[in-house]
Amino acid sequence: MKNIAALALISTIALVSCNKKETAKITKIDPKTGKTITVEVPADSVAKVEENPAIKDSAGIYKQTFKLEKGKTYPLTTYQRDTKTMTDPTGKTLNATSEATDEMSFTVNDIKGNVYDITLNLISKRNSQTAQGKTIVVDTKLPIPKEDDLKMIWNINRALTGNKLSMKMDTKGNVISITGFDAVYNKVGNSVGTIVKDKNQKESIMVSLKESFNEKVLKDQFNKNLTIIPKKGVKVGEKWTNSENADAQGKIKVTSNYVLKSVGNGIAEIAVTGGIPKKVEKQNQGEVTHSLSSELSQNGTIKFDQNTGWITNQNISVKTTQIETISNGKESQSMKSVSNSSVMVNPSAK
């Protein structure tokens, strides 16, 4: 039992012997009281935790690092499903659903010091929209759509996938560099050129692509997806908050509140809440008042592998409500739009 006890001190999962039946102690938050507690579970139900895991504690404070293995590939598939319901002044509703999947993976080529040499594999893209009983799909794993207006999207997405970028990331999750974009731009440009003959239109498409797909954009995305725990570390039950702009002017902020719910059984789990508080804007033109109210709320969890530090799953629900009203003081008309979204990373089920 000495080796087991030594492992317990390092990994925070203490194995004890009771009537010859081993159990494991896991630190988590009591959902009823909100307090940090330690519970015992059967040892055979606990995932193996390395002696020096990527997410570990020091004096009860957990920090996130990465311990990836050379030659191994780690998945990062993002999936978003939006269901939108619009209600007009007569009460008539219109429903629409859209889905988007981006599949990529990270292969560790080498480790030098505390820096990983990684190949970023752009695997596939899928988009679908359903409205009024009709569904359209653009999927790089399927043949080109027959509809002319979808052929352009498929060609661009197909040219974007099947490519590889080179990435440098340190063991703390800081993305140092991502290179190889020019080859992708050339491939997309050649693909677009087979369909679009107008020079200005082609240049406009390429400008738009370079604005949405570049080193800075991917760095920002990976920094948000791969590293959530603050650099200073947090205790189980501790809260922290991040905010980012929801509009180009920076007037509206999306606030994300995080709580480290539990660490144990090979998983570090983080709860996410927050959003955008309800905001009402009004404009008067004579006797007519135009008002627009909007709010956003989010709720979900993010899970990381305790041994490697890699994200294993994210599942966050986001609800956006917007109501537009026009009134002349005697009567008013309103349009309401409600969007329910599921934002996932490495979804086990959709």
Side-chain angles (χ1 to χ4, degrees):
M1 296 299 293
K2 290 184 179 180
N3 290 336
I4 294 176
L7 174 61
L9 291 174
I10 297 173
S11 67
T12 75
I13 297 181
L15 298 181
V16 297
S17 177
C18 180
N19 296 328
K20 296 184 180 181
K21 183 177 180 181
E22 289 187 336
T23 62
K25 291 183 178 180
I26 298 177
T27 303
K28 60 183 289 186
I29 296 176
D30 187 332
K32 295 182 179 179
T33 65
K35 295 182 179 180
T36 302
I37 59 172
T38 299
V39 297
E40 287 193 1
V41 297
D44 57 8
S45 71
V46 176
K48 179 181 178 182
V49 178
E50 303 295 337
E51 290 191 9
N52 190 21
I55 300 176
K56 61 181 179 180
D57 77 308
S58 175
I61 297 177
Y62 288 87
K63 292 185 178 182
Q64 182 179 6
T65 60
F66 288 86
K67 292 199 170 183
L68 310 180
E69 294 184 37
K70 181 178 179 179
K72 282 201 171 183
T73 298
Y74 300 84
L76 187 71
T77 296
T78 59
Y79 168 80
Q80 182 165 335
R81 184 176 189 271
D82 301 305
T83 300
K84 193 171 186 178
T85 301
M86 292 163 282
T87 306
D88 68 15
T90 66
K92 183 179 179 180
T93 61
L94 174 65
N95 297 311
T97 300
S98 62
E99 294 180 285
T101 302
D102 283 274
E103 185 181 358
M104 62 185 77
S105 66
F106 298 70
T107 301
V108 179
N109 304 311
D110 201 2
I111 308 169
K112 294 182 179 179
N114 66 339
V115 176
Y116 293 105
D117 177 5
I118 295 172
T119 295
L120 171 54
N121 307 293
L122 306 174
I123 300 172
S124 68
K125 294 176 73 69
R126 183 184 188 277
N127 300 87
S128 70
Q129 291 184 335
T130 301
Q132 297 179 320
K134 182 180 180 181
T135 300
I136 58 174
V137 178
V138 178
D139 190 336
T140 58
K141 292 183 177 180
L142 298 177
I144 187 170
K146 296 179 180 179
E147 298 87 348
D148 289 337
D149 56 340
L150 300 180
K151 289 181 179 179
M152 173 64 73
I153 301 173
W154 186 90
N155 270 279
I156 292 175
N157 286 349
R158 187 62 179 266
L160 276 171
T161 56
N163 296 299
K164 299 179 184 296
L165 299 174
S166 297
M167 181 172 127
K168 303 287 186 184
M169 183 183 82
D170 67 21
T171 53
K172 293 183 178 180
N174 299 308
V175 179
I176 300 167
S177 65
I178 305 176
T179 59
F181 290 94
D182 286 342
V184 180
Y185 296 153
N186 290 335
K187 184 179 175 183
V188 174
N190 292 334
S191 177
V192 171
T194 62
I195 297 178
V196 178
K197 303 305 178 183
D198 182 80
K199 182 180 179 181
N200 291 333
Q201 185 181 357
K202 179 181 176 181
E203 288 179 353
S204 177
I205 292 172
M206 294 307 298
V207 168
S208 178
L209 170 65
K210 291 178 181 180
E211 287 177 348
S212 61
F213 181 73
N214 56 53
E215 184 179 29
K216 183 181 183 304
V217 169
L218 289 191
K219 272 187 176 182
D220 289 345
Q221 178 186 342
F222 297 151
N223 286 333
K224 291 174 185 176
N225 289 148
L226 299 181
T227 309
I228 303 295
I229 297 175
K231 301 298 183 185
K232 67 178 182 62
V234 291
K235 297 179 180 180
V236 171
E238 186 173 345
K239 301 178 181 179
W240 69 98
T241 300
N242 288 334
S243 64
E244 57 185 307
N245 294 334
D247 63 340
Q249 294 75 29
K251 294 180 179 180
I252 303 175
K253 303 282 186 181
V254 179
T255 300
S256 297
N257 305 309
Y258 301 98
V259 178
L260 182 58
K261 286 183 64 178
S262 64
V263 180
N265 202 12
I267 294 292
E269 183 173 351
I270 297 168
V272 185
T273 57
I276 302 174
K278 185 175 181 179
K279 183 178 181 180
V280 179
E281 295 180 350
K282 290 186 178 181
Q283 290 183 342
N284 295 316
Q285 292 182 339
E287 296 181 351
V288 178
T289 300
H290 177 266
S291 64
L292 180 67
S293 72
S294 59
E295 61 182 315
L296 180 149
S297 61
Q298 60 178 341
N299 182 65
T301 58
I302 306 173
K303 296 179 181 180
F304 292 89
D305 182 274
Q306 191 179 352
N307 291 317
T308 65
W310 195 259
I311 184 170
T312 58
N313 176 262
Q314 169 187 296
N315 192 347
I316 298 176
S317 297
V318 181
K319 183 178 182 179
T320 306
T321 304
Q322 188 175 76
I323 302 175
E324 185 176 6
T325 303
I326 298 175
S327 174
N328 62 7
K330 297 180 181 180
E331 58 182 5
S332 63
Q333 291 185 335
S334 296
M335 290 278 292
K336 185 177 181 180
S337 173
V338 178
S339 177
N340 289 287
S341 303
S342 294
V343 184
M344 303 182 187
V345 175
N346 293 338
S348 55
K350 298 178 182 178

